[in-house]
């Protein structure tokens, strides 16, 4: 093993947070080594072209969105954008529903036309008044009542988290907007777009723009620590792993992805369902809240990427318990797991030469723009601590 190399910053994880912090530090003149144990850049946001020629998100859909012009401007130096109005559907009781809940959903529920005023009056009568929802169940029933909650949220959340919505922070189901007009967009942020040539191309551009950054794939953090002496370590992996799970494993949810590709001829027979040629389903994502279906959603990302190709690929997502052989996709947002995390967080506060950034190292259910912002802020902090190198 090589032991004689040195770098200023050793960065563990080549996902959003690791790449962004590396780019900022390299721009300040610092030498960075970035490692990832996987064989590709981009962490879970990595995308690739599959055997059918379709650009897919193999680790689940990554819909970039942000309300921060500063973050959009930052990333725009490395990519052009393909603007998308992300729309999804829910499938339950044998039919597709407009989702997130909006006036169209209400009409589907009633089986007739309705107005915003009628929906609003109905909600006033149906919702359960709770001034400060304490958990995800209260969050949804306080907005739409029990029936719509049971139809769209209860079963999905039980499958996704293996916990009842009552056992999860209000912010989990609170991520999903509820609207009384016909705005059926999945997300509400002002900027909604995918990197025009994909995430992986954007990550390559970040790296190519940063000559002071050396990338080593297929290297895990224990090996990296032994190989490169460093001034400061930046860790973006799972926090409990950093500390050898000394307080036990933190709870995570994992996923199994099952891709399936279809030729143009096969898709032809689906056209009555998808509504357009070349697609398998009517939206980029269809959620399956019913407990009778083992997966939570089917993603056909071609709807969002705008790729012009006759074939298409769908990916079914099956939630699963996390084991040390799985990727830890989601920290579990509730009081119990936060308490477990806080024992590790206390240890991090004693570190003066290690930074912890990203979803896994800070145990937060963060979106990509938030992670980008966190990495920029950490780089600024490190630059004010260590200065710049000319
Ligand atoms: N959710 C739900 N039904 C849906 C969609 C979402 O109950 O049809 C709940 C579920 O608990 C999920 C959370 O809302 O984990 C957040 O959903 P989002 O689509 O933002 O999840 P992500 O894309 O981050 O997995």
């Amino acid at each position: 093993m090589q032991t004689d190399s040195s770098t200023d910053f050793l960065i563990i994880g080549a996902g959003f947070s690791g790449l962004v912090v590396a780019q900022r530090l390299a721009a300040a003149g610092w030498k960075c080594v970035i490692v990832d144990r996987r064989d590709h850049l981009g962490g879970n946001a990595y995308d690739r072209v599959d055997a059918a020629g379709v650009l897919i998100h193999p680790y689940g859909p990554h819909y970039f969105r942000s309300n921060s012009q500063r973050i959009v401007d930052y990333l725009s130096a490395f990519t052009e954008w393909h603007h998308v109005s992300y729309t999804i559907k829910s499938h339950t009781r044998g039919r597709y529903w407009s989702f997130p809940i909006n006036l169209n959903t209400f009409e589907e529920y009633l089986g007739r036309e309705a107005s915003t005023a009628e929906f609003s009056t109905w909600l006033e009568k149906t919702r359960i008044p709770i001034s400060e929802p304490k958990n995800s169940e209260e969050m949804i029933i306080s907005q739409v009542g029990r029936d719509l909650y049971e139809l769209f949220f209860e079963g999905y959340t039980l499958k996704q988290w293996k916990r009842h919505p009552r056992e999860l922070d209000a912010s989990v189901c609170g991520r999903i907007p509820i609207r009384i007009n016909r705005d059926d967009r999945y997300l509400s942020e002002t900027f909604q777009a995918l990197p025009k040539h994909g995430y992986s191309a954007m990550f390559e551009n970040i790296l190519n723009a940063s000559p002071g950054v050396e990338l080593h794939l297929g290297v895990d953090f224990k090996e990296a620590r032994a190989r490169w002496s460093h001034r400061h370590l930046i860790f973006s992996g799972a926090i409990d792993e950093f500390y050898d799970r000394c307080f036990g494993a933190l709870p995570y949810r994992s996923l199994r992805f099952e891709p399936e590709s279809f030729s143009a001829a096969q898709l032809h027979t689906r056209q009555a369902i998808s509504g357009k040629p070349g697609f398998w389903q009517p939206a980029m994502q269809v959620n399956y809240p019913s407990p009778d279906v083992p997966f939570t959603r089917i993603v056909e990302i071609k709807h969002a990427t705008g790729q012009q190709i006759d074939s298409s690929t769908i990916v079914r997502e099956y939630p699963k318990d996390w084991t040390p052989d799985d990727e830890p996709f989601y920290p579990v947002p509730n009081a119990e797991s936060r308490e477990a995390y806080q024992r590790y967080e206390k240890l991090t506060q004693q570190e003066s030469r290690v930074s912890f950034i990203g979803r896994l190292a800070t145990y937060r259910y963060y979106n990509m723009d938030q992670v980008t912002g966190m990495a920029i802020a950490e780089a600024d902090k490190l630059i004010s601590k260590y200065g710049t190198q000319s």
Side-chain angles (χ1 to χ4, degrees):
M1 192 181 289
Q2 209 176 321
T3 50
D4 56 351
S5 314
S6 77
T7 183
D8 295 318
F9 291 92
L10 177 59
I11 301 169
I12 312 298
F16 247 103
S17 48
L19 286 168
V20 169
V21 82
Q23 187 280 329
R24 301 304 302 147
L25 291 168
W30 293 106
K31 223 173 106 187
C32 299
V33 167
I34 181 164
V35 302
D36 201 297
R37 66 175 153 218
R38 299 193 212 177
D39 62 359
H40 60 73
L41 277 180
N44 294 335
Y46 162 76
D47 53 12
R48 68 175 170 84
V49 172
D50 69 7
V54 182
L55 179 66
I56 59 162
H57 292 185
Y59 301 108
H62 282 69
Y63 308 127
F64 189 83
R65 68 316 242 297
S66 187
N67 283 325
S68 164
Q69 192 57 46
R70 190 176 63 90
I71 287 169
V72 172
D73 287 345
Y74 169 74
L75 291 173
S76 300
F78 309 105
T79 187
E80 293 173 77
W81 297 98
H82 170 66
H83 293 272
V84 201
S85 222
Y86 302 115
T87 51
I88 69 170
K89 292 206 174 292
S90 188
H91 188 280
T92 188
R93 294 191 186 157
R95 57 162 297 175
Y96 290 102
W97 298 77
S98 185
F99 191 81
I101 295 169
N102 67 85
L103 179 56
N104 298 328
T105 324
F106 183 57
E107 289 182 336
E108 289 160 358
Y109 180 71
L110 295 179
R112 62 168 173 81
E113 283 182 16
S115 64
T116 289
E118 183 184 357
F119 189 20
S120 171
T121 308
W122 183 89
L123 285 174
E124 273 316 306
K125 278 200 306 228
T126 313
R127 62 185 210 90
I128 295 161
I130 301 170
S131 52
E132 277 176 36
K134 287 186 298 298
N135 57 51
S136 273
E137 180 181 68
E138 291 188 359
M139 185 70 183
I140 302 300
I141 62 175
S142 66
Q143 293 180 84
V144 298
R146 222 162 240 297
D147 210 19
L148 292 179
Y149 156 76
E150 283 171 9
L151 190 56
F152 295 117
F153 289 91
E154 192 175 37
Y156 187 105
T157 300
L158 274 165
K159 283 195 285 189
Q160 168 74 10
W161 299 98
K162 217 179 172 189
R163 283 166 182 81
H164 194 273
R166 276 193 296 274
E167 300 170 78
L168 292 165
D169 288 355
S171 60
V172 176
C173 287
R175 287 166 63 87
I176 307 296
I178 288 167
R179 307 192 186 96
I180 56 171
N181 58 20
R182 292 194 194 278
D183 180 355
D184 65 348
R185 288 171 312 147
Y186 180 29
L187 309 169
S188 299
E189 282 83 353
T190 46
F191 183 85
Q192 304 188 13
L194 292 174
K196 192 166 182 176
H197 305 289
Y199 287 99
S200 297
M202 178 178 79
F203 296 136
E204 293 286 347
N205 289 342
I206 293 179
L207 210 56
N208 291 338
S210 316
V213 179
E214 207 181 289
L215 170 73
H216 294 263
L217 294 173
V219 175
D220 84 355
F221 95 94
K222 289 198 170 127
E223 180 187 343
R225 270 218 285 213
R227 269 177 67 174
W228 287 277
S229 64
H230 48 274
R231 184 185 294 260
H232 195 99
L233 182 78
I234 301 172
F235 185 76
S236 72
I239 182 69
D240 51 347
E241 200 184 334
F242 185 86
Y243 288 110
D244 287 325
R245 307 215 165 87
C246 62
F247 301 130
L250 290 175
Y252 298 97
R253 282 301 273 166
S254 196
L255 295 168
R256 179 170 66 80
F257 300 99
E258 193 183 84
E260 193 177 357
S261 296
F262 299 92
S263 66
Q266 287 170 316
L267 293 172
H268 192 68
T269 63
R270 290 282 301 185
Q271 208 169 309
I273 295 167
S274 72
K276 33 180 185 167
F279 289 92
W280 189 86
Q281 64 182 21
M284 68 172 187
Q285 178 178 314
V286 177
N287 294 349
Y288 288 81
S290 164
D292 305 333
V293 179
F295 44 84
T296 47
R297 58 189 181 188
I298 302 181
V299 173
E300 187 176 22
I301 203 72
K302 194 176 91 164
H303 281 279
T305 59
Q307 187 187 10
Q308 299 298 312
I309 183 167
D310 292 340
S311 49
S312 192
T313 297
I314 62 166
V315 184
R316 293 185 178 84
E317 281 184 29
Y318 295 81
K320 68 190 291 275
D321 293 337
W322 175 83
T323 73
D325 295 330
D326 297 307
E327 290 298 335
F329 287 104
Y330 296 89
V332 176
N334 67 16
E336 194 188 330
S337 55
R338 221 171 0 262
E339 214 172 279
Y341 161 66
Q342 278 157 1
R343 301 183 73 188
Y344 287 107
E345 192 186 21
K346 277 215 182 84
L347 296 183
T348 69
Q349 287 159 357
Q350 290 156 23
E351 309 276 1
S352 59
R353 295 203 320 123
V354 188
S355 304
F356 297 87
I357 54 168
R359 217 187 221 208
L360 295 175
T362 62
Y363 202 71
R364 288 193 176 87
Y365 188 6
Y366 264 9
N367 293 330
M368 292 175 282
D369 63 329
Q370 295 170 303
V371 167
T372 305
M374 186 194 272
I376 293 173
E378 187 59 31
D380 289 346
K381 226 167 84 185
L382 292 170
I383 290 165
S384 67
K385 176 172 174 172
Y386 294 107
T388 55
Q389 286 287 89
S390 44

